[in-house]
Amino acid sequence: MWAMATCLLATAAPGRAHAWGDKGHSMSARVAARKLPADMPAFFRKAEVELGYLCPEPDRWRNEKREPALKGLHDRDHIFKLEDMTQPLPPQRYDFLMQYFGKPKPGTTNDATIGYRDLGFAPYAMAERSEMLTVNFMLWRQAPQKTAIDKRIKRQIEQNIIHIAGLLAHFITDNAQPLHTTIHGDGWNPRVENPNGYVGKAVHRRFETDYIAKSVEEKDFQGLVAPIRERGPWLAAALDHIREAHEHVEKLYAFDKEHPFGEGGETPEQKQFTCERLAHGSAALRDFWYSAWVKSAELAKAPAR
């Protein structure tokens, strides 16, 4: 279905790299909030600081010694190895897990089978939280305001919306980073032909954290954010977002081969590339937020079941 679909499934190292780092995530969410249209609720448009803070939140749950259960629950939500996709996505993540889990690894000549850590659930992380956000926008639209208690409940719904939107932001911006969409997540996978001699040792951290921390600011990419467009259905939209980022994997490795990211010799072309990836994340995030708001109006009009 996609290029290199017959590659072996790579065993994922437990989440060592956190896409974009706190700075990149927070910048992406703040820029997305500034790009929201005026018909979004005012409480949401004014939540730039809160959304920026919440965007890195899932990376705060990944300390295996401190929160092993939480890390195990969410760690695979940050990535999706597009080369390994050989079948359409089922609607729910556990069906996806069972579709692959325990099956023979494609192309192997031994008895190796696919395990949980070979998989990535990023499309589901995005789709699930988009549904949560849509439902909560619907509840906000429908919430009465006749009494003091009504008003307090509506304020709680607003807090829920901002929290869900901030967590959704993480997984959307994660997967604007090409290395979150590929088996080449932190160095070129040796199971794949490498005629150009890519290495990319520790490139994940060097690109998204070290380089951005010292070289990129919000002003550098906020003018590159594409015009707004509605997204959906959610799972298909999430997969489209991942595919678009995935197209840039080899280009990132080519840049890194010539002038390693994070080592101080990066070119203007590398900065432009990085800014375009950040802008792509902000645009997609803004679109998902807005699309959830639009879809919530349809839900609010539907008869109760």
Side-chain angles (χ1 to χ4, degrees), residues 2 15 27-28 142 243 275 291:
W2 293 286
M27 289 194 303
S28 296
Q142 296 174 331
R243 285 175 180 148
C275 288
S291 298

Side-chain angles (χ1 to χ4, degrees), residues 219-273:
K219 63 181 175 58
D220 296 326
F221 69 90
Q222 62 186 2
L224 301 175
V225 175
I228 196 165
R229 62 186 176 94
E230 287 189 38
R231 308 258 182 162
W234 294 125
L235 192 59
L239 191 55
D240 286 345
H241 173 60
I242 291 169
R243 285 175 180 148
E244 187 171 350
H246 184 79
E247 292 176 0
H248 301 276
V249 170
E250 189 164 354
K251 187 173 184 180
L252 192 157
Y253 272 90
F255 276 136
D256 192 65
K257 180 183 176 183
E258 297 301 319
H259 302 280
F261 284 103
E263 296 187 5
E266 302 87 357
T267 65
E269 290 77 17
Q270 284 171 277
K271 182 170 183 177
Q272 179 69 18
F273 171 82

Side-chain angles (χ1 to χ4, degrees), residues 55-73:
C55 189
E57 179 75 357
D59 278 345
R60 300 170 185 140
W61 308 336
R62 302 182 75 181
N63 185 313
E64 194 155 17
K65 292 183 179 179
R66 188 181 63 206
E67 55 268 342
L70 193 57
K71 177 180 170 65
L73 176 64

Side-chain angles (χ1 to χ4, degrees), residues 8-301:
L8 301 182
L9 277 143
T11 299
R16 294 171 299 181
H18 300 167
W20 299 131
D22 275 13
K23 180 181 178 182
H25 275 303
S26 295
M27 289 194 303
S28 296
R30 288 193 296 264
V31 168
R34 289 186 211 121
K35 298 291 184 177
L36 288 166
D39 61 323
M40 287 285 285
F43 81 87
F44 193 83
R45 288 186 284 109
K46 293 177 181 178
E48 173 187 324
V49 171
E50 293 83 354
L51 292 166
Y53 171 78
L54 285 166
C55 189
E57 179 75 357
D59 278 345
R60 300 170 185 140
W61 308 336
R62 302 182 75 181
N63 185 313
E64 194 155 17
K65 292 183 179 179
R66 188 181 63 206
E67 55 268 342
L70 193 57
K71 177 180 170 65
L73 176 64
H74 289 288
D75 203 43
R76 314 315 304 153
D77 285 355
H78 301 254
I79 65 167
F80 192 69
K81 300 175 182 181
L82 197 56
E83 299 95 338
D84 293 338
M85 275 298 304
T86 59
Q87 302 176 52
L89 292 183
Q92 298 178 353
R93 70 160 65 208
Y94 295 116
D95 291 329
F96 171 75
L97 172 63
M98 296 309 297
Q99 183 170 278
Y100 287 96
F101 186 76
K103 304 297 190 296
K105 289 187 177 182
T108 57
T109 57
N110 54 30
D111 295 329
T113 57
I114 298 167
Y116 173 74
R117 291 188 177 275
D118 295 309
L119 300 173
F121 297 93
Y124 296 96
M126 287 184 257
E128 291 157 359
R129 287 162 181 81
S130 295
E131 291 179 3
M132 290 180 197
L133 184 59
T134 306
V135 168
N136 276 269
F137 272 136
M138 176 196 72
L139 295 173
W140 184 86
R141 289 179 184 271
Q142 296 174 331
Q145 298 188 77
K146 293 179 180 179
T147 69
I149 290 177
D150 288 342
K151 292 175 182 178
R152 288 180 66 178
I153 289 173
K154 188 158 187 175
R155 285 197 295 272
Q156 181 60 57
I157 296 171
E158 291 175 356
Q159 293 176 32
N160 294 352
I161 286 170
I162 291 168
H163 187 256
I164 293 165
L167 300 186
L168 171 62
H170 183 86
F171 300 108
I172 290 176
T173 53
D174 254 355
N175 286 274
Q177 208 276 55
L179 298 179
H180 274 248
T181 72
T182 178
I183 60 174
H184 309 294
D186 197 26
W188 195 262
N189 192 312
R191 294 173 172 146
V192 177
E193 187 178 357
N194 188 9
N196 295 310
Y198 300 133
V199 178
K201 183 178 181 181
V203 64
H204 204 124
R205 186 206 72 243
R206 291 189 289 101
F207 171 60
E208 69 184 22
T209 301
D210 298 350
Y211 177 58
I212 286 176
K214 65 182 181 181
S215 302
V216 181
E217 303 297 336
E218 291 172 33
K219 63 181 175 58
D220 296 326
F221 69 90
Q222 62 186 2
L224 301 175
V225 175
I228 196 165
R229 62 186 176 94
E230 287 189 38
R231 308 258 182 162
W234 294 125
L235 192 59
L239 191 55
D240 286 345
H241 173 60
I242 291 169
R243 285 175 180 148
E244 187 171 350
H246 184 79
E247 292 176 0
H248 301 276
V249 170
E250 189 164 354
K251 187 173 184 180
L252 192 157
Y253 272 90
F255 276 136
D256 192 65
K257 180 183 176 183
E258 297 301 319
H259 302 280
F261 284 103
E263 296 187 5
E266 302 87 357
T267 65
E269 290 77 17
Q270 284 171 277
K271 182 170 183 177
Q272 179 69 18
F273 171 82
T274 306
C275 288
E276 287 171 357
R277 293 294 84 226
L278 287 162
H280 170 67
S282 290
L285 178 54
R286 181 268 327 272
D287 293 351
F288 271 69
W289 284 342
Y290 182 66
S291 298
W293 169 246
V294 171
K295 293 177 192 299
S296 73
E298 301 167 9
L299 293 183
K301 293 176 186 175

